[in-house]
């Protein structure tokens, strides 16, 4: 759809899409996707704990409210980032298409540039699609797990701006472990820290895989397939002591 609109616009007036007009649409798509990930991962921490340590209804409501607010903010921000990158890709595609002009040939028409650029952009966007899918699935999944673990321990969720307070219960960074994992993430494999303290991955702090709230760079989270596991026995024990 985007490429059809781009091709038509450039062929008519020689302009590319700014993508700003699609921010609301992509925000809604991401919010729906985040909600689906939340539904899939809700209970992944408490489900491994004894019944006496189960979440109360107020705690379940607190988790849901924290995640809805976080996903709303994050979807808007990520939609704007994704669309801006797409706009930049379209500009680059036009430049590359124009550069195919041969000195001894008639100048390319806008229509010819439009179709050449659309072909270039299609290859770039196809390559980005999997990365976007992985990144935008990991974030809500890991945020759901982290929020549930924190609420179980009586902590204000990280996604709600909760401060750090060392807890006895721990979490662990788990890498996929294949040859596609970046070096810094492979080095972090097996790292254990208190639930409410950040992992240190490639020199940056992340509360959970995909988290950028503590300043982690985009390059450290994009296309990441790592996950965090939580010591449910420790969480249950600490919860029962309260």
């Amino acid at each position: 759809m985007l490429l059809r609109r781009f091709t038509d616009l450039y062929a008519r007036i020689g302009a590319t899409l700014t993508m700003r007009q699609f921010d609301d649409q992509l925000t809604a798509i991401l919010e729906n996707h985040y909600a689906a990930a939340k539904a899939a991962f809700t209970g992944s921490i408490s489900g491994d704990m004894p019944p006496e340590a189960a979440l109360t209804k107020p705690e379940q409501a607190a988790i849901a409210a924290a995640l809805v607010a976080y996903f709303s903010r994050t979807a808007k921000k990520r939609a704007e980032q994704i669309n801006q990158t797409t706009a930049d890709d379209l500009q680059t595609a036009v430049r590359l298409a124009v550069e195919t002009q041969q000195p001894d040939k008639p100048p390319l028409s806008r229509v010819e540039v439009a179709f050449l650029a659309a072909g270039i952009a299609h290859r770039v966007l196809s390559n980005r699609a999997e990365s976007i899918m992985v990144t935008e699935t990991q974030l809500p999944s890991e945020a759901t797990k982290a929020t549930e673990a924190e609420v179980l321990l009586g902590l204000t969720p990280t996604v709600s701006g909760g401060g750090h307070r060392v807890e006895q219960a721990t979490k662990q960074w788990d890498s996929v472990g294949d040859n596609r994992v970046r070096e810094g993430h492979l080095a972090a494999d097996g790292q254990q820290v208190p639930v409410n303290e950040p992992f240190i991955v490639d020199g940056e702090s992340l509360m959970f895989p995909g988290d950028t709230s503590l300043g982690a760079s985009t390059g450290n989270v994009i296309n990441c397939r790592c996950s965090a596991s939580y010591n449910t026995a420790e969480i249950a024990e600490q919860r029962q002591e309260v």
Side-chain angles (χ1 to χ4, degrees):
M1 179 268 290
L2 292 175
L3 290 178
R4 285 197 300 271
R5 292 195 182 186
F6 159 76
T7 304
D8 178 67
L9 182 65
Y10 195 89
R12 286 190 293 107
I13 63 174
T16 64
L17 297 171
T18 65
M19 297 299 297
R20 292 280 69 85
Q21 64 268 44
F22 300 111
D23 284 351
D24 289 345
Q25 182 179 354
L26 184 53
T27 296
I29 290 171
L30 289 176
E31 284 185 321
N32 288 334
H33 182 63
Y34 292 170
K38 171 185 172 294
F41 281 82
T42 292
S44 58
I45 307 299
S46 59
D48 291 333
M49 295 168 56
E52 57 268 24
L55 286 163
T56 65
K57 288 186 177 180
E59 288 173 332
Q60 293 172 353
I63 291 171
L67 289 172
V68 167
Y70 173 67
F71 291 158
S72 179
R73 296 192 307 271
T74 303
K76 184 177 187 301
K77 179 179 178 182
R78 299 292 272 263
E80 291 172 353
Q81 292 173 336
I82 291 170
N83 280 337
Q84 182 57 57
T85 300
T86 300
D88 294 341
D89 287 341
L90 292 174
Q91 292 279 7
T92 299
V94 169
R95 176 178 58 80
L96 293 174
V98 170
E99 289 176 357
T100 65
Q101 173 68 55
Q102 298 180 28
D104 58 341
K105 300 291 184 180
L108 294 171
S109 67
R110 284 204 302 263
V111 172
E112 289 173 319
V113 171
F115 277 94
L116 286 171
I120 295 169
H122 182 270
R123 291 191 292 273
V124 173
L125 297 178
S126 296
N127 289 335
R128 283 181 58 206
E130 181 180 357
S131 177
I132 292 171
M133 176 189 69
V134 170
T135 304
E136 302 307 326
T137 301
Q138 179 202 52
L139 175 71
S141 304
E142 293 299 319
T144 297
K145 290 159 54 182
T147 301
E148 187 172 317
E150 289 166 344
V151 170
L152 281 164
L153 290 166
L155 302 169
T156 301
T158 295
V159 299
S160 300
H164 300 153
R165 177 166 61 84
V166 176
E167 292 295 326
Q168 295 175 356
T170 59
K171 60 188 176 185
Q172 177 174 298
W173 186 279
D174 297 321
S175 163
V176 174
D178 60 22
N179 58 9
R180 293 173 55 195
V181 178
R182 65 203 83 183
E183 185 177 340
H185 290 211
L186 191 60
D189 186 52
Q191 181 183 147
Q192 294 185 2
V193 298
V195 165
N196 207 34
E197 287 293 302
F199 295 105
I200 304 301
V201 183
D202 208 11
E204 297 182 337
S205 299
L206 298 86
M207 289 300 292
F208 50 84
D211 174 47
T212 58
S213 66
L214 300 178
S217 61
T218 301
N220 207 4
V221 299
I222 193 169
N223 212 30
C224 172
R225 297 169 296 137
C226 299
S227 62
S229 56
Y230 294 78
N231 192 318
T232 53
E234 292 177 346
I235 294 174
E237 181 181 357
Q238 190 167 333
R239 184 170 171 80
Q240 291 168 348
E241 290 175 354
V242 175

